[in-house]
Amino acid sequence: MTDWAWDYNPSAEYITDGLPPGVVAEVERLATELAALGHDSVKVGRPFDREGGLREFDILGGRGFISFLAVPRHECVYVCNVTWYG
């Protein structure tokens, strides 16, 4: 277990506006799991060929994806965007 946290960037209202509640719950569940990975979260998702930077991870069987930034210096995973094809 790590001391990492997660947050929305720029804000929860901006990123989750108009999303179904189930999608928001899944995004928050995944963000919690990414934070639990700690520094290893810089390796999760796309792109596969490098670490760090803005990462993408499929949600709900490919019906959308989240873009997130894992920042080791802040010990935080920032959810930057949610794309939902619903």
Side-chain angles (χ1 to χ4, degrees), residues 16-82:
T16 63
D17 185 43
L19 292 175
V23 174
V24 175
E26 178 66 3
V27 167
E28 293 179 354
R29 184 189 71 78
L30 288 172
T32 301
E33 290 187 14
L34 288 167
L37 287 174
H39 191 271
D40 288 334
S41 61
V42 300
K43 303 173 188 175
V44 174
R46 295 180 298 267
F48 300 114
D49 59 341
R50 61 184 164 85
E51 293 181 13
L54 191 64
R55 318 286 301 168
E56 293 181 348
F57 193 80
D58 288 339
I59 59 173
L60 298 169
R63 293 173 57 198
F65 64 91
I66 62 172
S67 299
F68 65 94
L69 189 61
V71 182
R73 180 179 40 156
H74 295 173
E75 294 188 342
C76 191
V77 173
Y78 295 101
V79 177
C80 302
N81 190 41
V82 177

